[in-house]
Amino acid sequence: MPTDTAPTRSHFNAARLRSHTWDQLKLAASSLNEGRGDPADVEGLLKDLLTIELYWAYPGRTTVKRLQQMLKGREYHTLTQSANHVVRNLSSGAFRSDPVALADPFAPPHVLLENEQEAKQLNYFETLFVDELNEAEEQALKVRLHQCRDRNDPFIYDPIVVRTVQDALVALLFNHNIQAVVVRYGMPYKSDHHKGILREFTRAIDDLDLSDRGQANMGPLLARIMKWFRPEVDRYYVTDTPVTGLKDSTLKNFRRIFYRTEDLNELHMTIMRGIQEKYDTPFFTALKEYSKRPMGVFHAMPISRGNSVFKSRWIQDFGEFYGRNLFLAETSATTGGLDSLLQPTGPLKKAQELAARAFGSQYTFFATNGTSTTNKIVVQALVEPGDIVLIDRDCHKSHHYGMVLSGAYPVYLHSYPLPKYSMYGAVPLEHIREQLLLLRKGAKLDRVKMLLLTNATFDGVVYNVERVMEQTLALKPDIVFLWDEAWWAFAGFSYILRQRTAMHVAAKLARKYRTPEYKAEYAAHIKGLKKGEEPRLPDPEKVRIRVYATQSTHKTLTSFRQGSMIHIWDEDFKKKSESSFHEAYMTHTSTSANYQILASMDVGRRQVEFEGYELVEKAIELGLLLRRTIRENERLKKWFDIITIGDLIPDQYRQSGIDGYYRKDKGWNDIERAWAEDDFAVDPTKINLYTGKTGIDGDTFKNVYLMDKHGIQINKTSRNSVLFMTNIGTTRGSLAYLTKVLLQIADELEERNAGFEHADKRMHVARIRALTDPLLQPSLPDFSRFHSSFQGQPGVPGGDLRSAYFLSYKEERCVHIKLHDALTMLGMKHELVSASFVIPYPPGFPVLVPGQVINEEIINFLLAIDVKEIHGYRPELGLRVFTDAALGRQRTGTAIGGMKARKK
Ligand SMILES: Cc1ncc(COP(=O)(O)O)c(C=O)c1O
């Protein structure tokens, strides 16, 4: 029976605890009604719900109190029915808008107005009032707010009243329906409600004990903390202080200030206006309006308005499949209410500004051909030929091509290896600093322009973005950061994950470095350095915050394929990079940008502003739940292992010591602490499943077992693992299906093994060994080095990738060499230099780039991997390498281009 000492850690979050407690109530009430249960059980549950429901408008505390009265009056039948109603209403979400919900004896407080009962789905939210009202005043406020409602209001809300700052924070943390907060000046801080049953979920708030700050400052303080937790929620302040007496920060942190004497109607309309502003989707709306207008098309695009489709006798099915609206919205027009992506001045400009607000950037640019392109845009915009870029070698191939395009000299950084899984982790900070110091020693630091890292990596390893930026800026205060957040667009909508996003950290550091406190901290830091020790804090007089992030909106948020955004937080953008950015953007942007993709990004932005907090938390929860299911199910754990945080991140990078999100004995772990302290964290929505024990390699498991047999689609594999991802569209149902499929596969494997004869069994054991023995895993080769012809400067990292790339354009400068012949030549001390990129999938990054010296490790890796797809390598021809002549070398008996090599 849940009481104050209930093991609440068995629930991932308070929302789950809440729905579980309501479910328990339903069962306990039903037992009671059937003469079996114990009233004390129901009483305990209702006591917990009275605490929990303080933070929700529906069903809220009034309902719980009525249920308590029913219990007291032994009205068990009504109690059971009422609990059932509430549970049904909560799980369906019907209380938000469905007129049928009105039949409920516990109808939501926002009784729908007459014509709204017709409406299928109203947009519902909750407004939090932080005010020391007594019960009668609270009731009066609710009645007066209800009177403010107009039947034409596009949205509907219920008020919730809490009386302390701490309760307000708990409400914001738990209740994703809250979209607006009205804070009364001078609130008390401390609450007792968040102790007891909710204590496991309020750690983030308990850590912020601010009770000594003085009651008068609590309103503005709450606004500041809210900005951190839930920046998308509108904040309003009710005070008596005249505007002239308010601090700038107070004016900045609230959307609007109200005075006690002001009309409640005005407040109501302002709340509605705030919601409307987030709801607006300028480009999507413009496109919808455009598609409704009668239009004669005397321009390109026969498909526009479906003209070439619906009149056709042969492609009707195409039209039917996509529906008429898609074609009505297809146009090449940039006028008539629409806009041009190349020079936006209307709805597209506005849509990008709204995205900048939502994603916390100074500027946001949309792109319609993926992060493959936005990466190239940013690199080309910021880097000139000969500039040096520190770049993780296992980054997406678009960056390597970006180096070729821009003429930058890449200094390839090494991620720590995870040999057991044939994977890489991410680049340790000390390695980045070492490279910078080497470049400084070689008098090249002034040419260093950019640090380019992937966050999160495909496998879900997440950098400590703040630590990396701070300690890199300490050595190179004007470096530009490009964070490839292709997989990380959703992270900005969880307060835990947001701490490790480029835009959040950029804004935070820019603020921090301008404060007198930081200047003092820096001075003390420099003074405290021992001889030979390098600074770890940047010089506040020199540091510039220049941060770019590219996000594949389509990968993790609502957007059609290829929707990508560039977010910029650059103090020097206007002064130094706006023109070059514009040129690079023009270079890569189509003059016929796809409007459907652009509209979907506009709508995707609206969605995350309203629902991001809820949906991302759900995606995280489902990711953690899947891990737990696989780790705890006897049948599943016989065949599969979850690759844990401890497996993905070596001890020295996990200062918190936390090695897993969930432990059977301890429940959900302190994820907040790991995310705040550790050098690397693991994205909880990425679940790496180790398949080694099945004897099936990752690729076969993906294609044969998951896709062909069960229609489950995944993307990434390694030699002995597959990667599952949860996202804002994942449901508990889809998770249940995946679990069912894994159980089915487990059964199939049992059957397979039972049928093994001796020889089969021996082969099977050998296969398992090949996949699981760390010594038998082909070791991922590090970047060797650039050949001396392409080295920027001997002894200094970095090389001229672009020259090598273009040198290979003439066929006579290149030959092909088979892998075994290459090994022989290397044995004869012959230097082989790659003329092309060689990219095996998996792992999906180049093991060779043009100009790179080939070594035995690389050849052995290529010989050992059994993948079918290797871009830039044709097995029948071999590796493409430069001839001696191309490299300006003397010919010898084993000259390349002479004896062994075979011309194409
Ligand atoms: C790290 C990284 N960056 C960029 C990209 C390219 O993104 P897009 O598919 O949006 O072109 C990918 C694609 O998988 C990726 O993994």
Side-chain angles (χ1 to χ4, degrees), residues 712-729:
I712 291 207
Q713 195 192 329
I714 60 155
N715 203 335
K716 165 98 174 36
T717 59
S718 82
R719 222 174 115 69
N720 49 23
S721 74
V722 294
L723 175 71
F724 296 110
M725 294 182 207
T726 54
N727 62 41
I728 63 164

mmCIF file with all atom_site columns, all heavy atoms in Angstrom, residues 712-729:
data_model
loop_
_atom_site.group_PDB
_atom_site.id
_atom_site.type_symbol
_atom_site.label_atom_id
_atom_site.label_alt_id
_atom_site.label_comp_id
_atom_site.label_asym_id
_atom_site.label_entity_id
_atom_site.label_seq_id
_atom_site.pdbx_PDB_ins_code
_atom_site.Cartn_x
_atom_site.Cartn_y
_atom_site.Cartn_z
_atom_site.occupancy
_atom_site.B_iso_or_equiv
_atom_site.pdbx_formal_charge
_atom_site.auth_seq_id
_atom_site.auth_comp_id
_atom_site.auth_asym_id
_atom_site.auth_atom_id
_atom_site.pdbx_PDB_model_num
ATOM 1   N N   . ILE A 1 712 ? 10.295 -4.716  -38.121 1.00 0.00 ? 712 ILE A N   1
ATOM 2   C CA  . ILE A 1 712 ? 10.815 -3.676  -37.220 1.00 0.00 ? 712 ILE A CA  1
ATOM 3   C C   . ILE A 1 712 ? 12.007 -3.013  -37.881 1.00 0.00 ? 712 ILE A C   1
ATOM 4   O O   . ILE A 1 712 ? 12.956 -3.680  -38.300 1.00 0.00 ? 712 ILE A O   1
ATOM 5   C CB  . ILE A 1 712 ? 11.203 -4.267  -35.846 1.00 0.00 ? 712 ILE A CB  1
ATOM 6   C CG1 . ILE A 1 712 ? 9.913  -4.682  -35.165 1.00 0.00 ? 712 ILE A CG1 1
ATOM 7   C CG2 . ILE A 1 712 ? 12.018 -3.279  -35.019 1.00 0.00 ? 712 ILE A CG2 1
ATOM 8   C CD1 . ILE A 1 712 ? 9.884  -4.711  -33.704 1.00 0.00 ? 712 ILE A CD1 1
ATOM 9   N N   . GLN A 1 713 ? 11.907 -1.680  -37.934 1.00 0.00 ? 713 GLN A N   1
ATOM 10  C CA  . GLN A 1 713 ? 12.911 -0.955  -38.691 1.00 0.00 ? 713 GLN A CA  1
ATOM 11  C C   . GLN A 1 713 ? 13.877 -0.282  -37.733 1.00 0.00 ? 713 GLN A C   1
ATOM 12  O O   . GLN A 1 713 ? 13.459 0.424   -36.823 1.00 0.00 ? 713 GLN A O   1
ATOM 13  C CB  . GLN A 1 713 ? 12.171 0.115   -39.497 1.00 0.00 ? 713 GLN A CB  1
ATOM 14  C CG  . GLN A 1 713 ? 12.976 0.715   -40.595 1.00 0.00 ? 713 GLN A CG  1
ATOM 15  C CD  . GLN A 1 713 ? 12.259 1.951   -41.122 1.00 0.00 ? 713 GLN A CD  1
ATOM 16  O OE1 . GLN A 1 713 ? 11.030 2.026   -41.113 1.00 0.00 ? 713 GLN A OE1 1
ATOM 17  N NE2 . GLN A 1 713 ? 13.028 2.927   -41.552 1.00 0.00 ? 713 GLN A NE2 1
ATOM 18  N N   . ILE A 1 714 ? 15.153 -0.537  -37.932 1.00 0.00 ? 714 ILE A N   1
ATOM 19  C CA  . ILE A 1 714 ? 16.148 0.216   -37.170 1.00 0.00 ? 714 ILE A CA  1
ATOM 20  C C   . ILE A 1 714 ? 17.200 0.691   -38.154 1.00 0.00 ? 714 ILE A C   1
ATOM 21  O O   . ILE A 1 714 ? 17.138 0.367   -39.342 1.00 0.00 ? 714 ILE A O   1
ATOM 22  C CB  . ILE A 1 714 ? 16.814 -0.627  -36.056 1.00 0.00 ? 714 ILE A CB  1
ATOM 23  C CG1 . ILE A 1 714 ? 17.535 -1.836  -36.664 1.00 0.00 ? 714 ILE A CG1 1
ATOM 24  C CG2 . ILE A 1 714 ? 15.828 -1.035  -34.986 1.00 0.00 ? 714 ILE A CG2 1
ATOM 25  C CD1 . ILE A 1 714 ? 18.654 -2.339  -35.799 1.00 0.00 ? 714 ILE A CD1 1
ATOM 26  N N   . ASN A 1 715 ? 18.169 1.426   -37.678 1.00 0.00 ? 715 ASN A N   1
ATOM 27  C CA  . ASN A 1 715 ? 19.113 2.026   -38.588 1.00 0.00 ? 715 ASN A CA  1
ATOM 28  C C   . ASN A 1 715 ? 20.530 1.519   -38.358 1.00 0.00 ? 715 ASN A C   1
ATOM 29  O O   . ASN A 1 715 ? 21.140 0.897   -39.196 1.00 0.00 ? 715 ASN A O   1
ATOM 30  C CB  . ASN A 1 715 ? 19.043 3.546   -38.364 1.00 0.00 ? 715 ASN A CB  1
ATOM 31  C CG  . ASN A 1 715 ? 19.515 4.312   -39.554 1.00 0.00 ? 715 ASN A CG  1
ATOM 32  O OD1 . ASN A 1 715 ? 20.299 3.779   -40.327 1.00 0.00 ? 715 ASN A OD1 1
ATOM 33  N ND2 . ASN A 1 715 ? 19.047 5.523   -39.720 1.00 0.00 ? 715 ASN A ND2 1
ATOM 34  N N   . LYS A 1 716 ? 21.011 1.721   -37.148 1.00 0.00 ? 716 LYS A N   1
ATOM 35  C CA  . LYS A 1 716 ? 22.443 1.544   -36.904 1.00 0.00 ? 716 LYS A CA  1
ATOM 36  C C   . LYS A 1 716 ? 22.740 0.175   -36.313 1.00 0.00 ? 716 LYS A C   1
ATOM 37  O O   . LYS A 1 716 ? 22.003 -0.329  -35.467 1.00 0.00 ? 716 LYS A O   1
ATOM 38  C CB  . LYS A 1 716 ? 22.850 2.653   -35.936 1.00 0.00 ? 716 LYS A CB  1
ATOM 39  C CG  . LYS A 1 716 ? 24.172 2.502   -35.261 1.00 0.00 ? 716 LYS A CG  1
ATOM 40  C CD  . LYS A 1 716 ? 25.231 3.314   -35.997 1.00 0.00 ? 716 LYS A CD  1
ATOM 41  C CE  . LYS A 1 716 ? 26.587 3.363   -35.345 1.00 0.00 ? 716 LYS A CE  1
ATOM 42  N NZ  . LYS A 1 716 ? 27.090 2.244   -34.679 1.00 0.00 ? 716 LYS A NZ  1
ATOM 43  N N   . THR A 1 717 ? 23.839 -0.392  -36.771 1.00 0.00 ? 717 THR A N   1
ATOM 44  C CA  . THR A 1 717 ? 24.303 -1.649  -36.181 1.00 0.00 ? 717 THR A CA  1
ATOM 45  C C   . THR A 1 717 ? 25.813 -1.558  -35.993 1.00 0.00 ? 717 THR A C   1
ATOM 46  O O   . THR A 1 717 ? 26.470 -0.719  -36.603 1.00 0.00 ? 717 THR A O   1
ATOM 47  C CB  . THR A 1 717 ? 24.049 -2.842  -37.133 1.00 0.00 ? 717 THR A CB  1
ATOM 48  O OG1 . THR A 1 717 ? 24.746 -2.586  -38.357 1.00 0.00 ? 717 THR A OG1 1
ATOM 49  C CG2 . THR A 1 717 ? 22.585 -3.032  -37.421 1.00 0.00 ? 717 THR A CG2 1
ATOM 50  N N   . SER A 1 718 ? 26.355 -2.408  -35.141 1.00 0.00 ? 718 SER A N   1
ATOM 51  C CA  . SER A 1 718 ? 27.805 -2.630  -35.165 1.00 0.00 ? 718 SER A CA  1
ATOM 52  C C   . SER A 1 718 ? 27.973 -4.128  -35.388 1.00 0.00 ? 718 SER A C   1
ATOM 53  O O   . SER A 1 718 ? 26.991 -4.834  -35.627 1.00 0.00 ? 718 SER A O   1
ATOM 54  C CB  . SER A 1 718 ? 28.459 -2.171  -33.852 1.00 0.00 ? 718 SER A CB  1
ATOM 55  O OG  . SER A 1 718 ? 28.328 -3.166  -32.855 1.00 0.00 ? 718 SER A OG  1
ATOM 56  N N   . ARG A 1 719 ? 29.191 -4.619  -35.291 1.00 0.00 ? 719 ARG A N   1
ATOM 57  C CA  . ARG A 1 719 ? 29.431 -6.040  -35.525 1.00 0.00 ? 719 ARG A CA  1
ATOM 58  C C   . ARG A 1 719 ? 28.551 -6.925  -34.640 1.00 0.00 ? 719 ARG A C   1
ATOM 59  O O   . ARG A 1 719 ? 28.005 -7.918  -35.089 1.00 0.00 ? 719 ARG A O   1
ATOM 60  C CB  . ARG A 1 719 ? 30.893 -6.317  -35.201 1.00 0.00 ? 719 ARG A CB  1
ATOM 61  C CG  . ARG A 1 719 ? 31.570 -7.212  -36.145 1.00 0.00 ? 719 ARG A CG  1
ATOM 62  C CD  . ARG A 1 719 ? 33.009 -7.273  -35.787 1.00 0.00 ? 719 ARG A CD  1
ATOM 63  N NE  . ARG A 1 719 ? 33.373 -8.623  -35.353 1.00 0.00 ? 719 ARG A NE  1
ATOM 64  C CZ  . ARG A 1 719 ? 33.415 -9.656  -36.155 1.00 0.00 ? 719 ARG A CZ  1
ATOM 65  N NH1 . ARG A 1 719 ? 33.100 -9.508  -37.423 1.00 0.00 ? 719 ARG A NH1 1
ATOM 66  N NH2 . ARG A 1 719 ? 33.766 -10.839 -35.710 1.00 0.00 ? 719 ARG A NH2 1
ATOM 67  N N   . ASN A 1 720 ? 28.396 -6.496  -33.396 1.00 0.00 ? 720 ASN A N   1
ATOM 68  C CA  . ASN A 1 720 ? 27.664 -7.358  -32.467 1.00 0.00 ? 720 ASN A CA  1
ATOM 69  C C   . ASN A 1 720 ? 26.576 -6.598  -31.698 1.00 0.00 ? 720 ASN A C   1
ATOM 70  O O   . ASN A 1 720 ? 26.240 -6.955  -30.572 1.00 0.00 ? 720 ASN A O   1
ATOM 71  C CB  . ASN A 1 720 ? 28.630 -8.040  -31.489 1.00 0.00 ? 720 ASN A CB  1
ATOM 72  C CG  . ASN A 1 720 ? 29.588 -7.021  -30.879 1.00 0.00 ? 720 ASN A CG  1
ATOM 73  O OD1 . ASN A 1 720 ? 29.266 -5.834  -30.843 1.00 0.00 ? 720 ASN A OD1 1
ATOM 74  N ND2 . ASN A 1 720 ? 30.734 -7.471  -30.421 1.00 0.00 ? 720 ASN A ND2 1
ATOM 75  N N   . SER A 1 721 ? 26.065 -5.527  -32.304 1.00 0.00 ? 721 SER A N   1
ATOM 76  C CA  . SER A 1 721 ? 24.999 -4.790  -31.608 1.00 0.00 ? 721 SER A CA  1
ATOM 77  C C   . SER A 1 721 ? 24.047 -4.140  -32.613 1.00 0.00 ? 721 SER A C   1
ATOM 78  O O   . SER A 1 721 ? 24.397 -3.958  -33.784 1.00 0.00 ? 721 SER A O   1
ATOM 79  C CB  . SER A 1 721 ? 25.597 -3.712  -30.697 1.00 0.00 ? 721 SER A CB  1
ATOM 80  O OG  . SER A 1 721 ? 26.075 -2.642  -31.473 1.00 0.00 ? 721 SER A OG  1
ATOM 81  N N   . VAL A 1 722 ? 22.856 -3.832  -32.112 1.00 0.00 ? 722 VAL A N   1
ATOM 82  C CA  . VAL A 1 722 ? 21.915 -3.036  -32.913 1.00 0.00 ? 722 VAL A CA  1
ATOM 83  C C   . VAL A 1 722 ? 21.432 -1.893  -32.031 1.00 0.00 ? 722 VAL A C   1
ATOM 84  O O   . VAL A 1 722 ? 21.458 -1.994  -30.806 1.00 0.00 ? 722 VAL A O   1
ATOM 85  C CB  . VAL A 1 722 ? 20.693 -3.865  -33.389 1.00 0.00 ? 722 VAL A CB  1
ATOM 86  C CG1 . VAL A 1 722 ? 21.112 -4.936  -34.371 1.00 0.00 ? 722 VAL A CG1 1
ATOM 87  C CG2 . VAL A 1 722 ? 19.938 -4.467  -32.225 1.00 0.00 ? 722 VAL A CG2 1
ATOM 88  N N   . LEU A 1 723 ? 21.027 -0.806  -32.693 1.00 0.00 ? 723 LEU A N   1
ATOM 89  C CA  . LEU A 1 723 ? 20.624 0.373   -31.929 1.00 0.00 ? 723 LEU A CA  1
ATOM 90  C C   . LEU A 1 723 ? 19.132 0.624   -32.102 1.00 0.00 ? 723 LEU A C   1
ATOM 91  O O   . LEU A 1 723 ? 18.639 0.770   -33.225 1.00 0.00 ? 723 LEU A O   1
ATOM 92  C CB  . LEU A 1 723 ? 21.409 1.591   -32.442 1.00 0.00 ? 723 LEU A CB  1
ATOM 93  C CG  . LEU A 1 723 ? 21.033 2.936   -31.825 1.00 0.00 ? 723 LEU A CG  1
ATOM 94  C CD1 . LEU A 1 723 ? 21.504 3.015   -30.385 1.00 0.00 ? 723 LEU A CD1 1
ATOM 95  C CD2 . LEU A 1 723 ? 21.653 4.083   -32.619 1.00 0.00 ? 723 LEU A CD2 1
ATOM 96  N N   . PHE A 1 724 ? 18.414 0.674   -30.972 1.00 0.00 ? 724 PHE A N   1
ATOM 97  C CA  . PHE A 1 724 ? 17.004 1.084   -31.002 1.00 0.00 ? 724 PHE A CA  1
ATOM 98  C C   . PHE A 1 724 ? 16.929 2.519   -30.524 1.00 0.00 ? 724 PHE A C   1
ATOM 99  O O   . PHE A 1 724 ? 17.687 2.923   -29.649 1.00 0.00 ? 724 PHE A O   1
ATOM 100 C CB  . PHE A 1 724 ? 16.159 0.228   -30.045 1.00 0.00 ? 724 PHE A CB  1
ATOM 101 C CG  . PHE A 1 724 ? 16.109 -1.225  -30.420 1.00 0.00 ? 724 PHE A CG  1
ATOM 102 C CD1 . PHE A 1 724 ? 16.743 -2.185  -29.652 1.00 0.00 ? 724 PHE A CD1 1
ATOM 103 C CD2 . PHE A 1 724 ? 15.418 -1.626  -31.546 1.00 0.00 ? 724 PHE A CD2 1
ATOM 104 C CE1 . PHE A 1 724 ? 16.691 -3.520  -30.001 1.00 0.00 ? 724 PHE A CE1 1
ATOM 105 C CE2 . PHE A 1 724 ? 15.357 -2.963  -31.899 1.00 0.00 ? 724 PHE A CE2 1
ATOM 106 C CZ  . PHE A 1 724 ? 15.997 -3.907  -31.126 1.00 0.00 ? 724 PHE A CZ  1
ATOM 107 N N   . MET A 1 725 ? 15.990 3.268   -31.095 1.00 0.00 ? 725 MET A N   1
ATOM 108 C CA  . MET A 1 725 ? 15.797 4.636   -30.618 1.00 0.00 ? 725 MET A CA  1
ATOM 109 C C   . MET A 1 725 ? 14.335 4.833   -30.274 1.00 0.00 ? 725 MET A C   1
ATOM 110 O O   . MET A 1 725 ? 13.460 4.350   -30.995 1.00 0.00 ? 725 MET A O   1
ATOM 111 C CB  . MET A 1 725 ? 16.124 5.636   -31.723 1.00 0.00 ? 725 MET A CB  1
ATOM 112 C CG  . MET A 1 725 ? 17.559 5.633   -32.103 1.00 0.00 ? 725 MET A CG  1
ATOM 113 S SD  . MET A 1 725 ? 17.809 6.886   -33.343 1.00 0.00 ? 725 MET A SD  1
ATOM 114 C CE  . MET A 1 725 ? 19.217 6.187   -34.167 1.00 0.00 ? 725 MET A CE  1
ATOM 115 N N   . THR A 1 726 ? 14.097 5.571   -29.199 1.00 0.00 ? 726 THR A N   1
ATOM 116 C CA  . THR A 1 726 ? 12.731 6.011   -28.951 1.00 0.00 ? 726 THR A CA  1
ATOM 117 C C   . THR A 1 726 ? 12.674 7.485   -29.330 1.00 0.00 ? 726 THR A C   1
ATOM 118 O O   . THR A 1 726 ? 13.691 8.173   -29.298 1.00 0.00 ? 726 THR A O   1
ATOM 119 C CB  . THR A 1 726 ? 12.340 5.840   -27.470 1.00 0.00 ? 726 THR A CB  1
ATOM 120 O OG1 . THR A 1 726 ? 13.305 6.504   -26.660 1.00 0.00 ? 726 THR A OG1 1
ATOM 121 C CG2 . THR A 1 726 ? 12.270 4.386   -27.084 1.00 0.00 ? 726 THR A CG2 1
ATOM 122 N N   . ASN A 1 727 ? 11.508 7.959   -29.722 1.00 0.00 ? 727 ASN A N   1
ATOM 123 C CA  . ASN A 1 727 ? 11.400 9.365   -30.100 1.00 0.00 ? 727 ASN A CA  1
ATOM 124 C C   . ASN A 1 727 ? 10.039 9.898   -29.694 1.00 0.00 ? 727 ASN A C   1
ATOM 125 O O   . ASN A 1 727 ? 9.252  9.190   -29.052 1.00 0.00 ? 727 ASN A O   1
ATOM 126 C CB  . ASN A 1 727 ? 11.668 9.548   -31.600 1.00 0.00 ? 727 ASN A CB  1
ATOM 127 C CG  . ASN A 1 727 ? 10.655 8.803   -32.443 1.00 0.00 ? 727 ASN A CG  1
ATOM 128 O OD1 . ASN A 1 727 ? 9.449  8.800   -32.141 1.00 0.00 ? 727 ASN A OD1 1
ATOM 129 N ND2 . ASN A 1 727 ? 11.104 8.165   -33.502 1.00 0.00 ? 727 ASN A ND2 1
ATOM 130 N N   . ILE A 1 728 ? 9.747  11.148  -30.080 1.00 0.00 ? 728 ILE A N   1
ATOM 131 C CA  . ILE A 1 728 ? 8.509  11.771  -29.602 1.00 0.00 ? 728 ILE A CA  1
ATOM 132 C C   . ILE A 1 728 ? 7.256  11.112  -30.190 1.00 0.00 ? 728 ILE A C   1
ATOM 133 O O   . ILE A 1 728 ? 6.148  11.458  -29.798 1.00 0.00 ? 728 ILE A O   1
ATOM 134 C CB  . ILE A 1 728 ? 8.482  13.295  -29.865 1.00 0.00 ? 728 ILE A CB  1
ATOM 135 C CG1 . ILE A 1 728 ? 8.521  13.582  -31.370 1.00 0.00 ? 728 ILE A CG1 1
ATOM 136 C CG2 . ILE A 1 728 ? 9.606  14.009  -29.145 1.00 0.00 ? 728 ILE A CG2 1
ATOM 137 C CD1 . ILE A 1 728 ? 8.119  15.013  -31.709 1.00 0.00 ? 728 ILE A CD1 1
ATOM 138 N N   . GLY A 1 729 ? 7.452  10.185  -31.104 1.00 0.00 ? 729 GLY A N   1
ATOM 139 C CA  . GLY A 1 729 ? 6.291  9.483   -31.665 1.00 0.00 ? 729 GLY A CA  1
ATOM 140 C C   . GLY A 1 729 ? 6.157  8.069   -31.103 1.00 0.00 ? 729 GLY A C   1
ATOM 141 O O   . GLY A 1 729 ? 5.188  7.373   -31.404 1.00 0.00 ? 729 GLY A O   1
#
